[in-house]
Amino acid sequence: MERAPEFGRYPPLLFDGLTEAANREGKFFGTSRIKDLLAANVHLNSSELADRLLEEVQEFTQGGAITDDRTLVVMKVK
């Protein structure tokens, strides 16, 4: 489990199934893509942010087989 840097009020907890999701060329989605995605979407609520992240991973993997869980927790911190 990784703790991504805090972005606004939503500190996400990520598991390796997201960072290690691979496309057809074998490249991983990686933490830098996650950081960029989080930074670009701080305006979303936690549910929308989680959905957006999962959509981006799915698009990156080009609909390929899921070989690991894609688990994340995004919570609003007041």
Side-chain angles (χ1 to χ4, degrees):
M1 177 174 65
E2 299 178 38
R3 185 164 186 271
E6 289 190 28
F7 290 92
R9 300 177 310 247
Y10 307 104
L13 299 175
L14 309 169
F15 294 84
D16 66 347
L18 292 172
T19 58
E20 295 176 2
N23 64 13
R24 293 189 176 152
E25 290 79 40
K27 294 182 182 177
F28 290 145
F29 191 76
T31 54
S32 63
R33 281 189 180 86
I34 290 172
K35 289 176 185 179
D36 292 345
L37 182 75
L38 294 173
N41 290 282
V42 294
H43 62 283
L44 300 177
N45 68 39
S46 56
S47 178
E48 293 168 334
L49 187 56
D51 289 344
R52 181 77 177 134
L53 180 55
L54 292 171
E55 289 167 4
E56 287 291 322
V57 171
Q58 184 66 18
E59 184 177 315
F60 176 81
T61 59
Q62 304 160 336
I66 297 173
T67 58
D68 197 351
D69 66 292
R70 295 185 179 170
T71 304
L72 71 144
V73 176
V74 181
M75 61 192 136
K76 184 175 182 178
V77 177
K78 293 184 179 186

